[in-house]
């Protein structure tokens, strides 16, 4: 008798998503939801069929061929079948364009990111170049560089696959990943044209038609102020490289379908985006957009994990009944769902703010709030996706440890969310940068007060109280730490950032739960809020600096 288990399956990932559909009903005007639902249903179907398709064939990865049979250096990259399919699909659905079009006003970003959330897991990380393209469009628009706006934007925002271009983001170098100020790539003006010389250590989606790159104009000052931001089109129309050498494709833990390369630039023509300095300031709008995509991608990972684990729990019978009926397994799934649901509301709240800011509808406090929340949401969702993906492997038992079940890939891929686009600690320090630069926590505390004033139901009162108390504790911690040395503040920054993210997420989840009770007679968001509050919001350190120094340098 062969041993046989039913593998997990996915149904339409939009129609089956209670959290997304309920949220969209609350925040979007019915007319807008009516218009975009076709797109969402299509992408939900794509997400389900792509999972089944991926299980039915051998995994494939991009391939680099450096030399032709006749000795010519060609550096040709072959993309996976899914990547070839993703390009036209992304263009037609306007996965970048929708975030910039005026059709739905300030709801543009909610619309766009709802699509991205459905598309991500089926895209084999084609969302990476889409994120960078969205970021490049945002940075170029902010630069007000008329020539580049006319040259690149029509391609970035095209819905025509033949016209649609993607962008890379070339920052990371041997000397500096987090510390971009260590950039060694040099820009020289030769015969009235800028050319770049140096090595970029991680360049994702190397097949992109364009890239934004940081380089130091020769003779410019050291540090990040001396860097400039450049726009490049690294390939000629016939596919030959413009003085770019692809040294190798990276051998990564996950995101293996994404062609990430190590490259060298040997006189690559480039164009200044803005002034020949303050490059980090100029690329920052790109970073904030790609970090938002990062949070959406992490959220999509969580949702995929939970959908698979839940489906499997209905199929897998142990100890005489399905896993789904076993109290401890139910409790495990409930914990995952509550964390995901809270993260969902915080992440989409950030997309609402981004839409308002971009549409000129955000006042100064809301712009400051967006600045504070972007690193927080990137940090928390990146960490949470790994936790949920790891728990998902366990939900499948031994099958969750087998590559060909497709489950371990979720965990390997999830690990990227807390690394690229700036590690968790980079985000925590960026939160401190924003905290110091935007007048402290006030924008966040005021927003939380307004959100919680909409929570009236008695059953949600403990959640609202927990969120208020946590905000007070964090405020006190920050006041105390600000008065002491800078290093104490930095050492505690990650826990503060995580605590703030969880606190605001609980407030937002409770507000949605109140609405769902009244408008949809649905008690599930309230159950999620109670469960999330039970998990706790804070792990602030009382006095850890000395202990941390001792433990970090521990040796026998
Ligand atoms: C769905 C898929 C989505 C994901 C796609 C990802 C694909 C891409 C893969 C990659 O490229 S991964 C590489 C990502 N690398 C990073 O994210 C770099 C991480 N390091 C940082 O983020 C550092 O914080 C940073 C390099 C920005 C620090 O640089 P500096 O020069 O030491 O910072 P400084 O001097 O504090 O800031 C310089 C200016 O930038 C200041 O403005 P002013 O000149 O006006 O004073 C800052 O306020 C501003 N700034 C820095 N970060 C900002 C920002 N402004 C707005 N938002 C920010 N986040």
């Amino acid at each position: 008798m062969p041993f046989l288990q039913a593998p997990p399956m996915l149904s339409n990932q939009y129609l089956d998503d209670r959290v997304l559909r309920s949220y969209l009903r609350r925040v979007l005007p019915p007319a807008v939801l009516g218009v975009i639902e076709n797109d969402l249903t299509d992408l939900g179907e794509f997400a389900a069929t792509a999972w089944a398709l991926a299980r039915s064939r051998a995994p494939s990865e991009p391939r680099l061929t450096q030399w032709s049979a006749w000795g010519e250096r060609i550096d040709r990259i072959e993309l996976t079948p899914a990547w070839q399919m993703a390009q036209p699909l992304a263009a037609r659905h306007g996965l970048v364009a929708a975030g910039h079009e005026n059709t739905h006003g300030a709801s543009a970003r909610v619309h766009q990111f709802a699509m991205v959330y459905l598309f991500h897991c089926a895209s084999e990380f084609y969302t990476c170049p889409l994120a960078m393209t969205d970021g490049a469009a945002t940075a170029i628009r902010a630069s007000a560089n008329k020539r580049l706006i006319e040259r690149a934007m029509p391609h970035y925002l095209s819905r025509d696959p033949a016209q649609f271009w993607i962008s890379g983001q070339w920052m990371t170098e041997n000397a500096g990943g987090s510390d971009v100020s260590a950039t060694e790539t040099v820009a020289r003006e030769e015969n009235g044209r800028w050319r770049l010389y140096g090595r970029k250590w991680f360049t994702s989606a190397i097949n992109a038609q364009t890239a934004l790159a940081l380089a130091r104009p020769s003779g410019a000052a050291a540090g990040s102020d001396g860097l400039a931001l450049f726009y490049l089109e690294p390939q000629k129309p016939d596919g030959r490289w413009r003085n770019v050498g692809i040294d190798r494709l990276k051998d990564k833990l996950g995101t293996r379908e994404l062609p990430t390369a190590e490259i060298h630039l040997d006189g690559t023509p480039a164009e200044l985006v803005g002034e020949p300095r303050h490059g980090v300031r100029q690329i920052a709008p790109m970073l904030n957009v790609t970090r938002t995509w990062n949070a959406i991608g992490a959220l999509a990972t969580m949702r995929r994990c939970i959908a698979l684990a839940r489906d499997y729990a209905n199929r897998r019978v142990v100890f005489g009944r399905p896993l789904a009926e076993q109290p401890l397994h139910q409790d495990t799934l409930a914990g995952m769902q509550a964390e995901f649901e809270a993260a969902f509301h915080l992440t989409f709240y950030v997309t609402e703010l981004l839409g308002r800011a971009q549409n000129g509808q955000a006042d100064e406090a809301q712009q400051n709030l967006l600045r504070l929340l972007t690193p927080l949401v990137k940090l928390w969702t990146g960490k949470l996706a790994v936790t949920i993906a790891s728990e998902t492997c366990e939900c499948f038992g031994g099958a969750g440890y087998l590559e060909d079940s497709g489950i371990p890939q979720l965990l390997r891929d999830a690990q990227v969310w807390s690394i690229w686009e700036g590690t968790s600690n980079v985000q925590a320090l960026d939160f401190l940068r924003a905290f110091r630069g935007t007048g402290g926590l006030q924008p966040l505390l005021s927003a939380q007060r307004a959100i919680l004033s909409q929570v009236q139901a008695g059953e949600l009162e403990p959640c609202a109280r927990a969120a208020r108390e946590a905000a007070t504790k964090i405020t006190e911690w920050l006041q105390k730490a600000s008065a002491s040395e800078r290093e104490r503040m930095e050492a505690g920054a990650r826990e503060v950032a995580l605590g703030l993210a969880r606190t605001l997420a609980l407030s937002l989840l409770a507000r949605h739960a109140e609405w769902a009770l009244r408008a949809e007679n649905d008690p599930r968001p309230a159950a999620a809020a109670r469960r999330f509050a039970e998990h706790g919001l804070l792990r602030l350190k009382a006095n850890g600096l000395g202990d941390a120094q001792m433990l970090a340098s521990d040796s026998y």
Side-chain angles (χ1 to χ4, degrees):
M1 184 80 175
F3 177 63
L4 187 64
Q5 285 184 35
M9 298 206 309
L10 296 173
S11 55
N12 184 304
Q13 290 296 279
Y14 172 64
L15 298 178
D16 188 43
D17 193 329
R18 186 258 308 167
V19 176
L20 174 64
R21 296 182 71 188
S22 172
Y23 166 76
L24 293 178
R25 280 194 291 272
R26 179 170 66 76
V27 300
L28 291 181
V32 174
L33 185 53
V35 171
I36 69 173
E37 261 197 322
N38 279 344
D39 265 341
L40 298 175
T41 308
D42 280 357
L43 287 167
E45 197 55 37
F46 174 65
T49 50
W51 165 260
L53 186 64
R55 305 282 70 70
S56 70
R57 62 182 184 202
S60 84
E61 297 185 1
R63 240 181 51 171
L64 169 65
T65 305
Q66 287 179 310
W67 301 97
S68 78
W70 314 106
E72 189 191 0
R73 181 76 187 249
I74 51 174
D75 289 353
R76 190 182 63 227
I77 290 159
E78 283 155 60
L79 302 173
T80 67
W83 263 56
Q84 291 168 33
M85 204 166 80
Q87 194 271 0
L89 197 73
R92 283 199 201 97
H93 283 285
L95 293 183
V96 178
H100 293 259
E101 290 165 350
N102 282 327
T103 327
H104 305 308
S107 303
R109 287 296 187 174
V110 172
H111 170 210
Q112 174 196 26
F113 282 117
M115 292 194 290
V116 172
Y117 163 80
L118 293 168
F119 179 66
H120 168 70
C121 289
S123 80
E124 294 193 353
F125 278 85
Y126 194 75
T127 40
C128 167
L130 296 178
M132 297 189 291
T133 307
D134 192 348
T138 308
I140 286 176
R141 197 196 297 277
S143 76
N145 180 325
K146 195 162 171 291
R147 203 203 89 77
L148 289 184
I149 288 174
E150 283 170 6
R151 169 76 186 158
M153 295 294 260
H155 291 292
Y156 290 159
L157 304 185
S158 178
R159 286 173 176 262
D160 173 0
Q163 294 298 318
F164 180 55
W165 283 0
I166 54 176
S167 173
Q169 174 186 328
W170 296 358
M171 290 171 65
T172 307
E173 300 201 359
N174 315 16
S178 298
D179 181 6
V180 172
S181 69
T183 294
E184 291 170 335
T185 296
V186 172
R188 293 198 199 116
E189 212 169 358
E190 295 168 354
N191 302 321
R193 177 155 217 196
W194 287 98
R195 291 187 181 271
L196 307 190
Y197 296 84
R199 263 185 111 192
K200 294 284 174 183
W201 186 241
F202 273 92
T203 53
S204 281
I206 188 58
N207 58 314
Q209 290 88 347
T210 71
L212 293 190
L214 288 174
R216 194 177 309 281
S218 51
S224 67
D225 264 2
L227 295 174
L229 182 61
F230 289 90
Y231 166 89
L232 305 92
E233 291 176 13
Q235 284 174 283
K236 297 177 185 167
D238 65 4
R240 279 179 302 147
W241 294 95
R242 292 189 163 113
N243 304 343
V244 178
I246 313 297
D247 295 331
R248 63 170 174 146
L249 293 182
K250 294 284 198 186
D251 185 7
K252 294 169 289 176
L253 173 68
T255 71
R256 294 187 67 90
E257 304 91 344
L258 167 68
T260 303
E262 246 171 78
I263 63 174
H264 64 265
L265 310 175
D266 190 16
T268 311
E271 202 171 327
L272 273 174
V273 173
E275 58 177 334
R277 58 203 172 120
H278 298 312
V280 171
R281 188 195 295 169
Q282 292 174 53
I283 206 169
M286 181 179 203
L287 295 182
N288 289 332
V289 164
T290 48
R291 286 169 185 175
T292 308
W293 278 73
N294 202 92
I296 291 285
L299 204 60
T301 300
M302 297 178 216
R303 155 76 181 143
R304 167 61 56 97
C305 285
I306 294 170
L308 289 168
R310 189 176 284 139
D311 180 79
Y312 187 67
N314 286 317
R315 299 173 189 278
R316 178 75 172 131
V317 175
V318 285
F319 304 121
R321 55 183 173 162
L323 276 172
E325 291 173 19
Q326 314 232 2
L328 186 50
H329 198 74
Q330 284 174 342
D331 190 73
T332 303
L333 291 174
M336 291 156 73
Q337 175 69 23
E339 292 284 323
F340 156 72
E341 213 158 322
F344 178 98
H345 285 283
L346 181 65
T347 306
F348 271 91
Y349 180 65
V350 171
T351 73
E352 291 170 43
L353 289 171
L354 182 61
R356 277 208 286 279
Q358 170 179 298
N359 220 41
Q361 289 178 15
D363 59 21
E364 197 186 339
Q366 285 172 325
Q367 290 172 39
N368 289 340
L369 180 60
L370 175 62
R371 177 70 187 91
L372 282 171
L373 290 184
T374 303
L376 294 186
V377 77
K378 194 286 186 185
L379 162 52
W380 179 41
T381 54
K383 284 291 195 196
L384 187 54
V386 180
T387 306
I388 287 184
S390 171
E391 193 68 78
T392 299
C393 292
E394 249 188 87
C395 288
F396 283 86
Y401 203 63
L402 299 180
E403 274 299 335
D404 55 357
S405 71
I407 305 302
Q409 187 182 346
L410 294 166
L411 179 58
R412 289 190 288 99
D413 284 348
Q415 186 64 62
V416 84
W417 300 124
S418 60
I419 296 178
W420 69 2
E421 281 310 310
T423 61
S424 301
N425 285 355
V426 164
Q427 304 308 315
L429 296 176
D430 189 49
F431 159 73
L432 285 188
R433 186 189 282 109
F435 170 79
R436 292 184 181 116
T438 59
L441 273 194
Q442 212 41 55
L444 199 155
L445 297 176
S446 308
Q448 193 201 23
R449 265 195 300 278
I451 290 160
L452 288 178
S453 71
Q454 297 168 50
V455 179
Q456 310 287 339
E459 62 185 282
L460 290 166
E461 174 46 31
C463 297
R465 196 174 339 110
R468 283 193 191 96
E469 285 170 8
T472 305
K473 282 194 185 133
I474 294 172
T475 309
E476 286 167 2
W477 190 97
L478 280 167
Q479 275 164 357
K480 211 166 135 198
S482 310
S484 66
E485 71 271 43
R486 190 183 175 102
E487 304 224 329
R488 185 178 301 280
M489 186 97 150
E490 284 193 8
R494 189 199 279 212
E495 301 308 341
V496 167
L498 285 169
L500 275 172
R502 295 180 68 84
T503 299
L504 192 64
L506 176 59
S507 310
L508 291 161
L509 176 55
R511 177 176 69 175
H512 185 78
E514 168 94 22
W515 177 86
L517 283 171
R518 277 188 290 105
E520 302 192 314
N521 198 22
D522 186 351
R524 287 170 293 184
R530 286 194 296 273
R531 175 63 188 255
F532 182 71
E534 252 173 41
H535 290 177
L537 301 178
L538 300 182
R539 263 184 20 179
L540 296 177
K541 290 182 200 71
N543 188 10
L545 196 57
D547 287 353
Q549 283 164 349
M550 192 161 49
L551 292 170
S553 61
D554 186 27
S555 68
Y556 187 72

